[in-house]
Amino acid sequence: MNKYYQIDDLKANLLQLRNKNLTIGFVPTMGALHQGHVSLIQQAKKECDIVVCSIFVNPTQFNDKSDLEKYPRTLDADIVLLENALCDVLFTPSAEEMYPEPDNRVFDFERLDKVMEGAHRAGHFNGVAQVVSKLFDIVQPHKAYFGQKDFQQLAIVKALVKKLNIGVEIIGCPIIRETDGLAMSSRNVRLSAEERKTAPVIFQTLSKVKELSKKYTVRELKTFVEKEISQNTLLSLDYFEIVDAISLQPIDNITEANEVVACIAVKLGNVRLIDNIILIP
Ligand code: AMP
C-alpha cells in the first residue's frame, strides 16, 4: 500500500493511474478502522481497479471540542487492517495540509440538514461538506463508498455532488454490526465494560420498532422508544425519528412514504452513538 501525507504527491500518483485508464474507488474515513470500514473497502475493490482510503479526523465537522480531542486515533493498527484488506493507497493529511487557510464555505442542504444530526450537531454537515468536497477534488474518484450507518450523511453527500456537479458515483453500503447487534463504530472503544454490555439495547429497540411498525402508529412507536431507552439509566435519548428515507423529513404515518427509516441517537455515558433501521421497503 502506498501512503501519502501531501496532496500534491497523492495527486501526481493518481494522475498516473487515471492515465492508464484505471478506475478509482474512494473510501473516506476518520480512522480507528473496524470491519464496517473494511466492508466499504471490499465493495470498492469489487467495483474499481484502485482503492484509495483516507484517514483524516476533520476538525470542522466537530461542534464539540472534547469529542474531537477524544476521537480515537489508531494509525498503526489502521495501516495493518488496510494492508490486510488489500487497500492500494492511503491518504493521511494533516489539518494544515487540508486547511491551509480557514474554509469559510457555507453549504445549505435545505431540508436535509435541518433535522436529526443536523439539528442536534450545529455545523456538523457543513464541516462534512467542506471536507468531502475537498477530498473529492483531490482524489477525483470514479466511485465513493459511504456507510448507511450514517444515513443522513449519505443523503447529504449525494446532495453535495449534485449541487457541485461532481462527477463521482456515490455508493451506499449496509451497516456492519457486532454479533450482539451493536453497529460498529470507532466510538465503541470509548465505552466502559458496563456501557458496552448495555449498548446492544439500541439495536434491540430498533428491531422491536420494525416489528411493531406493522401495527403501531408513529406516535406509539416514539413513545415505545422513549420508554425503552429511559428504562436504562446509562442511556439517554438524543432523538428518535421515523422519516422519509429520501427527504429525511419526519412522517406522521408509516404508509406516507415509499421508503421509511427509523433513526436514533443516544448518549451512553459520554459517548454519543447513532444507528438506524429501514422500515420500508
Ligand atoms: P467514519 O470513520 O466513522 O467517519 O466512517 C467512515 C465511513 O465508514 C462512513 O461512510 C461511515 O458511514 C462508514 N461506516 C462507519 N461505521 C460503519 C458500519 N458499522 N457499517 C458500515 N459502514 C460504516
Side-chain angles (χ1 to χ4, degrees), residues 244-256:
D244 179 321
I246 306 298
S247 71
L248 300 189
Q249 301 312 295
I251 53 176
D252 294 326
N253 265 305
I254 303 244
T255 50
E256 218 173 279

Side-chain angles (χ1 to χ4, degrees), residues 17-271:
L17 298 173
R18 263 193 302 275
N19 285 342
K20 288 186 199 155
N21 274 331
L22 296 172
T23 55
I24 295 171
F26 180 40
V27 180
T29 81
M30 299 205 297
L33 301 179
H34 49 67
Q35 288 306 308
H37 299 111
V38 170
S39 73
L40 303 184
I41 289 165
Q42 286 168 340
Q43 191 60 35
K45 280 211 76 83
K46 273 191 211 152
E47 299 180 2
C48 306
D49 299 319
I50 300 291
V51 177
V52 179
C53 175
S54 65
I55 295 181
F56 178 61
V57 184
N58 173 38
T60 74
Q61 73 188 66
F62 284 82
N63 57 334
D64 175 350
K65 216 170 159 249
S66 93
D67 190 28
L68 171 62
E69 277 159 14
K70 288 194 208 122
Y71 200 86
R73 289 162 174 87
T74 59
L75 186 59
D76 291 344
D78 290 351
I79 290 173
V80 173
L81 185 139
L82 289 173
E83 300 264 15
N84 287 336
L86 305 177
C87 179
D88 301 288
V89 175
L90 170 61
F91 178 48
T92 53
S94 65
E96 294 70 34
E97 184 73 2
M98 286 299 283
Y99 297 103
E101 48 190 78
D103 190 339
N104 297 319
R105 288 176 298 162
V106 177
F107 294 86
D108 187 352
F109 296 100
E110 294 173 10
R111 298 193 308 167
L112 278 187
D113 63 355
K114 309 293 182 292
V115 292
M116 300 194 287
E117 292 300 285
H120 286 78
R121 299 179 69 188
H124 170 63
F125 286 124
N126 203 61
V128 168
Q130 288 175 343
V131 76
V132 171
S133 61
K134 275 176 180 271
L135 288 168
F136 283 173
D137 187 51
I138 295 164
V139 177
Q140 294 183 29
H142 296 86
K143 297 187 179 195
Y145 297 80
F146 290 83
Q148 283 165 355
K149 154 126 191 317
D150 299 276
F151 198 89
Q152 193 172 7
Q153 171 174 277
L154 176 59
I156 297 275
V157 170
K158 285 180 179 166
L160 175 76
V161 302
K162 204 167 169 194
K163 192 188 268 293
L164 302 183
N165 304 100
I166 303 174
V168 55
E169 188 183 344
I170 304 301
I171 314 281
C173 301
I175 303 175
I176 305 299
R177 300 181 178 282
E178 302 287 356
T179 45
D180 60 12
L182 175 64
M184 289 193 183
S185 164
S186 303
R187 289 189 167 90
N188 291 351
V189 298
R190 291 185 46 216
L191 299 171
S192 70
E194 198 192 3
E195 288 161 356
R196 178 63 188 81
K197 257 198 218 155
T198 301
V201 168
I202 303 164
F203 183 58
Q204 282 160 13
T205 304
L206 287 180
S207 304
K208 204 76 207 288
V209 163
K210 185 166 173 117
E211 203 183 305
L212 294 173
S213 67
K214 295 178 180 74
K215 50 177 194 230
Y216 277 32
T217 64
V218 167
R219 180 86 318 276
E220 286 166 341
L221 290 170
K222 283 190 150 190
T223 307
F224 167 77
V225 170
E226 282 156 17
K227 218 171 129 202
E228 286 294 296
I229 299 297
S230 69
Q231 264 170 18
N232 201 307
T233 50
L234 294 177
L235 288 172
S236 77
L237 186 63
D238 220 359
Y239 64 79
F240 170 74
E241 296 286 0
I242 295 182
V243 302
D244 179 321
I246 306 298
S247 71
L248 300 189
Q249 301 312 295
I251 53 176
D252 294 326
N253 265 305
I254 303 244
T255 50
E256 218 173 279
N258 296 327
E259 295 178 39
V260 178
V261 62
C263 301
I264 193 167
V266 298
K267 284 283 282 289
L268 180 44
N270 56 20
V271 184

